[in-house]
Amino acid sequence: MNLTGEMLIGQKAVKGSRDPIHAINPATNERLEPGYAGGTQADVENACQLAWEAFDRYRETSLEDRATFLETIADEIEALGDALVERAVAESGLPQARIQGERGRTCGQLRLFAKTVRAGEWLDVRVDPAMPDRQPMPRADLRQRHIALGPVVVFGASNFPLAFSVAGGDTASALAAGCPVIVKAHAAHPGTGELVGRAIQAAVKKCGLPEGVFSLMFGSGREVGTALVSDERIKAAGFTGSRSGGIALWKAAQSRPEPIPFYAEMSSINPVFLLPAALKARGEEMGKAFVGSLNMGAGQFCTNPGLVIAIKGPELDVFIKAAGEAVKESSAQTMLTPGIFEAYENGVKSLQDSGKAQEVARGQKGESPNQCQTGLFKTSAQDFLASHALQDEVFGSTSLVVECADEAELKKVAEHLEGQLTATLQMDDADLDAARKLLPTLERKAGRILVNGWPTGVEVCDAMVHGGPFPATSDSRTTSVGTAAIFRFLRPVCYQDLPEGLLPDAIKNDNPLKLRRLLDGKREK
Ligand code: NAP
């Protein structure tokens, strides 16, 4: 498929009229064709109007039709073949195997959402039949189901050009919920965005859905992104990126006459606690495994382990030595964009200049453009507690070890942490008491708690939570990965005393969708 550099607004391909942006191959700094000209306010208006017109019909598509649509998107993405992989590799600098894996995850998550849609549990149907003879007051007939919120804007993430971009988790969960989607493409991989966008556009047509179910726009976040979030027809948004970008767009969403939910995933340093018995038994092994996790994807995972917390002593020295050696052997890796590389360099420099963090080891220097050099630093708990800047995310493969005097200080450091996507415990049986004392703090701080694993690697499944308190996300009640992500784009509606002829299928008396309802307080089998 030839790339045209056009936006996709409904079924049309539209050339933008702002200055074009070009993707840069970060491995070579070569400019990639074609240019992608940004949209105007009129293009935003058009995409929002089409989405609004599609909404009522799309949200009432049958479970089967909607599930088939999600599966058709996955089929269309796979049909793009090697062209998609080649373009994504060129635009992201990520290795081919990683992109192939990410394509599998993207299609897998679309198919998982298809399964979720068919099962219909997300409709959360509750029926409390009328009790006309109840004393002292009769009860009305009350029925609840969930409906889609409305058109959703999705901001593609730079670090997952497939799995968290145009057809990624936010898009899949919003479409599954019955929401039309307008994607604001990430400027780092516009060609990948166009290819995937065309696959979704083809699926909309094949499935006979209204064209406004999907649009893809290019342009700057400040102009196109803010205009989309501010449009009255948009009812929610999903975002992955920087804290500053997330907060700016969240503010735009909250300052509308009608504020809307804005689900931003922003910044997390994913603390790893090394508990004493585990540290004593396997400090060296943990040091090496930790650096493996730190280096994954050049450290550009939202779940990258950017902080290690343990009690100071010879056992921790063994861990630091082993990790330091593994860091020194780490090859430089190409980062996603020149801007992200520059932000990484600045983040490492801030640590170096802080006067509070001591360099343990650096990895090998890169010989090509935009290659990050792995880094390991250490600091005392006292300095960490006194300097909030040491909690700033350094997006890339750099981590900081915090040395605590004792268990009480380790707990103090845990309490001092900002909200996180993950918190990890490395522990043995003898650490159970210490872990039990830490657990309530970790539950308050993080969306996912792991034992004896590493936080990188997020399973897409029913039980996953990829979320957490601010600044990990803007709304700690939700997840952006896994099937529960669908609930971000739904709201409950209660129907009181509606005649059978007016009830939606999901809450009809004879239960034509065969859902497991909560009927008069009892869950149906
Ligand atoms: P970003 O700069 O936040 O950009 C993400 C999206 O938000 C882009 O579409 C961007 O539009 C838009 N945007 C940014 N600032 C905005 C503003 N003030 N108003 C309106 N829209 C705005 O994120 P990025 O490009 O992916 O990476 C930059 C940094 O984000 C990284 O260095 C890293 O620190 C962080 N990051 C964190 C994670 C994580 O999961 N924790 C993931 C990715 C990135 P434009 O097209 O105008 O840029």
Side-chain angles (χ1 to χ4, degrees), residues 48 51-53 55 149-153 179-182 233-237:
C48 291
W52 185 249
E53 285 166 12
F55 176 47
L149 279 183
V152 166
V153 172
C179 300
V181 168
I182 303 173
R233 289 157 290 200
I234 298 302
K235 301 301 178 191

Side-chain angles (χ1 to χ4, degrees), residues 158-159 184 186 221 239 241-242 245 248-249 265-266 302 393 395:
S158 58
N159 57 342
K184 196 310 235 168
H186 198 286
F239 169 95
S242 65
L249 288 162
E265 194 222 299
M266 296 171 288
C302 9
E393 179 184 43
F395 192 64

Side-chain angles (χ1 to χ4, degrees), residues 58 189 253 262 321 334:
Y58 180 58
H189 52 262
F262 187 81
K321 185 163 179 284
T334 306

